[in-house]
């Protein structure tokens, strides 16, 4: 596989320097195949698996074209879920650091509409959002696409799965005909091909799956009676000892049940599904990413597009409804050269023929031992501080308060995430109670803040 430096592309020096700064030295295969065409202004339809760097592929293209002095929406990125939109925006902001004042706005459902209208009044260069909410802004004329030059459909296959086709078509009816349209999808069903032909012009087809499918994921399958599924799941954890993992269930109810039962068995787990409020989902995701939760029990929709680095394993507690979903699910592990583990539980009525190709291992559950007193506890616990960017809190302020007044050693502080009104700090479990007490009595930047343990 050939990888090239970003400096081989016709990009500004500032862009290349910043990419290097954020650790992007070489292009990923999808980037080196797609970027030359994107920079040439062509439409593309690109297929590459999750974690292959698609965001930067279109992100670099968009930012290269952007006229910062023109205070109009020039790019629109449609994503299937809020989480994915947040992630795309985060990645874009990182790539956009090479220059000042690029404004990237996310517009997703599930949060209040009018504050978004207000943000739009203050203009944005790039909008990232979910189709339904974007359409609402277009209908209410709070969003104007007259100056749009690039439209991106990220995870297009998933948006179709989720029934967004009508919204997408309507959003497109507001966009100028003269534009660049970039379509990204992990899979390539017929619907994608027909969507492409209806919204793109002479799209160049790019496919890198064949090169990248040689990622290191060991796939194990266990035939198991329904009554033994939970114990088999626990045995998988105790035998393979993954650092963390996502367990996929097909229903929200089952997610809650499995998470609850795992907790009862001393396996630290949280459920993630569409019935959670936005803030609850955020709490769960923060805990998982900062290592204060080791197992996420999720539905496909909720886990869609999450870029969780270093995910040790994926378990299909329920079999996916389609092979494409299977590919999506297990694509979360084995990223960025890490070895991944994928497990699938199925019952005697389920036909696994289509899975029995290549490197898949079909094993009997008796190969798994039952380990007594097995525990899976997180190394950190999350502390929430009721203060964030709005209060001008920065990482240094939190680290300073924790290592100064509170007297904690810096090595006991894990990931720090700062949001508008709240901050999350991962603290080594043994110290968290003491830290909570001291921090709630003390001050950060001369101000008192409420503090609690998540
Ligand atoms: P996809 O959208 O294809 O699922 P992402 O765009 O989320 O993948 O990228 C996966 C991860 O790889 C992200 O953490 C991103 O920051 C990182 N990444 C992307 N491009 C590069 C690169 N050229 N070099 C190093 N890391 C990269
Ligand atoms: Mg992506």
């Amino acid at each position: 596989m050939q990888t090239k430096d970003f400096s081989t592309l016709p990009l500004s020096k500032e862009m290349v320097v910043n990419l290097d700064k954020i650790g992007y030295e070489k292009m990923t295969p999808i980037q080196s195949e797609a970027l030359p065409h994107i920079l040439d202004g062509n439409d593309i339809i690109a297929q590459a698996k999750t974690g292959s760097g698609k965001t930067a592929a279109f992100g670099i293209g968009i930012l290269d074209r952007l006229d910062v002095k023109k205070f109009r929406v020039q790019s629109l990125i449609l994503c299937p879920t809020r989480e994915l939109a947040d992630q795309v925006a985060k990645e874009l902001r990182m790539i956009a650091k090479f220059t000042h004042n690029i404004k990237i706005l996310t517009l997703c459902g599930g949060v209040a509409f009018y504050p978004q209208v207000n943000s739009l009044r203050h203009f944005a260069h790039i909008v990232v959002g979910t189709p339904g909410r974007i359409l609402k802004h277009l209908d209410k004329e709070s969003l104007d696409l007259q100056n749009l030059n690039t439209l991106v459909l990220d995870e297009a296959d998933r948006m179709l799965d989720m029934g967004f086709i009508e919204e997408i078509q309507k959003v497109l009816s507001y966009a100028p005909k003269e534009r660049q349209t970039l379509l990204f999808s992990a899979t390539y069903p017929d619907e994608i091909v027909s969507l492409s032909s209806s919204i793109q012009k002479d799209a160049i087809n790019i496919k890198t799956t064949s090169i990248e499918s040689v990622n290191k994921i060991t796939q194990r399958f266990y035939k198991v009676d329904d009554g033994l599924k939970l114990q088999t799941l626990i045995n998988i954890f105790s035998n393979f000892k993954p650092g963390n993992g996502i367990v996929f269930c097909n229903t929200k109810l089952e997610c809650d049940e499995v998470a609850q039962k795992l907790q009862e068995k001393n396996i630290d787990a949280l459920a993630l599904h569409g019935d959670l409020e936005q803030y609850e989902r955020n709490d769960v995701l923060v805990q998982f990413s900062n290592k204060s939760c080791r197992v996420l029990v999720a539905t496909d929709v909720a886990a869609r597009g999450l870029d969780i680095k270093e995910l040790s394993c994926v378990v299909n507690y329920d079999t996916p409804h389609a092979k494409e979903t299977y590919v999506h699910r297990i694509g979360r592990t084995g990223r960025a050269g890490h070895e991944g583990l994928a497990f699938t539980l199925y019952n005697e009525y389920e036909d696994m023929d289509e899975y029995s190709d290549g490197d898949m291992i079909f094993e009997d559950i008796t190969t798994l031992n039952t380990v007594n007193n097995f525990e899976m506890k997180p190394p950190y616990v999350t502390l929430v501080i009721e203060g964030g960017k709005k209060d001008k809190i920065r990482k240094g302020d939190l680290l300073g308060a924790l290592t100064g007044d509170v007297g904690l050693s810096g090595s006991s502080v894990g990931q720090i995430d700062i949001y508008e009104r709240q901050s999350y700090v991962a603290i080594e479990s043994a110290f968290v109670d003491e830290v909570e007490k001291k921090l709630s009595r003390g001050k950060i930047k001369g101000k008192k803040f409420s503090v609690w343990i998540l």
Side-chain angles (χ1 to χ4, degrees):
M1 175 173 50
Q2 200 183 354
T3 49
K4 289 194 208 120
D5 288 3
F6 283 102
S7 56
T8 59
L9 295 172
L11 294 170
S12 73
K13 185 161 167 274
E14 292 75 20
M15 167 90 85
V16 177
V17 168
N18 179 58
L19 288 172
D20 194 60
K21 234 186 244 163
I22 61 175
Y24 292 14
E25 290 158 23
K26 303 247 180 237
M27 288 186 255
T28 66
I30 183 73
Q31 291 162 0
S32 77
E33 295 233 7
L35 267 166
H37 298 299
I38 296 177
L39 295 172
D40 271 352
N42 294 310
D43 281 5
I44 64 154
I45 169 163
Q47 186 185 4
K49 70 179 186 67
T50 312
S52 54
K54 293 193 283 291
T55 320
F58 62 75
I60 292 169
I62 285 175
L63 291 165
D64 181 69
R65 260 188 109 157
L66 193 78
D67 180 355
V68 185
K69 293 195 206 79
K70 186 165 150 190
F71 301 136
R72 294 281 180 271
V73 175
Q74 297 163 50
S75 311
L76 173 65
I77 300 153
L78 296 178
C79 301
T81 65
R82 292 181 284 216
E83 279 79 14
L84 188 58
D86 285 340
Q87 255 175 40
V88 166
K90 201 168 155 189
E91 171 105 8
L92 287 180
R93 289 195 180 102
M94 201 161 76
I95 302 169
K97 273 193 205 146
F98 69 94
T99 175
H100 292 297
N101 300 326
I102 295 185
K103 205 167 146 203
I104 301 166
L105 190 66
T106 52
L107 298 176
C108 299
V111 295
F113 183 74
Y114 284 97
Q116 295 181 341
V117 174
N118 238 329
S119 305
L120 279 165
R121 284 210 189 102
H122 292 101
F123 94 87
H125 291 113
I126 300 172
V127 168
V128 187
T130 46
R133 182 54 63 99
I134 298 281
L135 183 61
K136 190 166 169 191
H137 281 289
L138 289 167
D139 285 341
K140 303 229 177 235
E141 297 181 359
S142 40
L143 174 62
D144 170 22
L145 298 183
Q146 270 186 52
N147 292 276
L148 190 85
N149 53 38
T150 313
L151 181 97
V152 180
L153 303 182
D154 193 15
E155 313 251 3
D157 51 347
R158 195 58 183 186
M159 289 200 277
L160 296 189
D161 282 355
M162 291 168 76
F164 283 140
I165 183 72
E166 242 171 73
E167 276 101 339
I168 292 173
Q169 302 279 18
K170 284 187 188 149
V171 167
L172 275 149
S173 70
Y174 284 96
K177 295 256 170 321
E178 215 32 64
R179 60 159 196 266
Q180 182 179 28
T181 310
L182 310 176
L183 195 153
F184 289 83
S185 181
T187 58
Y188 212 68
D190 292 345
E191 292 82 359
I192 289 291
V193 182
S194 73
L195 178 68
S196 162
S197 62
S198 73
I199 66 170
Q200 296 190 293
K201 272 185 216 141
D202 307 322
I204 295 168
N205 217 314
I206 291 162
K207 187 172 173 178
T208 59
T209 8
S210 55
I211 316 167
E212 290 169 86
S213 62
V214 283
N215 61 341
K216 300 179 210 127
I217 303 177
T218 311
Q219 304 170 53
R220 290 190 147 80
F221 290 75
Y222 299 94
K223 186 195 246 179
V224 51
D225 291 339
D226 284 350
L228 288 173
K229 275 169 90 171
L230 188 75
Q231 188 56 48
T232 304
L233 176 62
I234 294 168
N235 289 351
I236 286 172
F237 287 144
S238 65
N239 285 241
F240 290 92
K241 300 189 174 56
N244 62 3
I246 299 187
V247 175
F248 282 99
C249 296
N250 289 344
T251 67
K252 298 166 188 174
L253 191 70
E254 188 148 46
C255 284
D256 281 332
E257 272 178 20
V258 171
Q260 164 97 39
K261 283 181 185 151
L262 286 175
Q263 281 164 13
E264 286 164 12
K265 298 281 185 186
N266 288 317
I267 293 173
D268 178 63
L270 291 172
L272 180 74
H273 55 63
D275 277 356
L276 301 181
E277 296 291 339
Q278 175 66 20
Y279 76 91
E280 294 174 306
R281 288 158 75 120
N282 204 42
D283 283 356
V284 170
L285 288 171
V286 166
Q287 290 180 84
F288 192 67
S289 80
N290 75 11
K291 302 200 166 89
S292 13
C293 161
R294 292 187 55 182
V295 178
L296 211 55
V297 188
T299 55
D300 290 303
V301 171
R304 179 67 195 183
L306 298 181
D307 171 33
I308 295 158
K309 293 203 175 80
E310 298 174 50
L311 183 67
S312 325
C313 83
V314 168
V315 184
N316 295 306
Y317 191 80
D318 292 328
T319 49
H321 293 310
K323 178 109 188 218
E324 280 165 6
T325 314
Y326 176 82
V327 174
H328 271 307
R329 287 181 177 184
I330 72 163
R332 263 114 249 298
T333 182
R335 283 186 172 202
H338 290 281
E339 184 95 39
L341 292 169
F343 304 93
T344 302
L345 309 186
Y346 66 100
N347 66 31
E348 58 181 316
Y349 306 108
E350 286 169 317
D351 181 9
M352 288 290 121
D353 278 355
E354 61 170 324
Y355 293 91
S356 59
D357 59 6
D359 308 324
M360 300 171 179
I361 302 166
F362 283 76
E363 251 171 8
D364 198 88
I365 52 166
T366 54
T367 59
L368 297 167
N369 301 317
T370 298
V371 180
N372 290 323
N373 303 320
F374 174 72
E375 288 194 336
M376 235 171 128
K377 294 282 176 211
Y380 294 99
V381 174
T382 299
L383 209 61
V384 187
I385 296 149
E386 185 84 46
K389 287 185 193 154
K390 278 244 170 349
D391 310 279
K392 304 254 184 306
I393 289 184
R394 289 157 193 258
K395 281 188 190 178
D397 302 323
L398 295 176
L399 208 56
L402 290 164
T403 54
D405 295 349
V406 174
L408 194 68
S409 123
S411 62
S412 301
V413 183
Q415 190 173 309
I416 299 177
D417 295 282
I418 302 179
Y419 291 83
E420 282 307 303
R421 290 162 201 286
Q422 278 189 342
S423 304
Y424 298 81
V425 186
I427 306 281
E428 252 177 46
S429 314
F431 306 112
V432 71
D433 290 320
E434 191 191 334
V435 171
E436 189 213 1
K437 277 199 200 90
K438 287 192 178 162
L439 204 58
S440 14
R441 272 191 248 120
K443 290 183 175 177
I444 301 164
K445 284 194 113 172
K447 246 180 98 180
K448 264 200 167 312
F449 291 100
S450 306
V451 175
W452 70 90
I453 297 171
L454 209 59

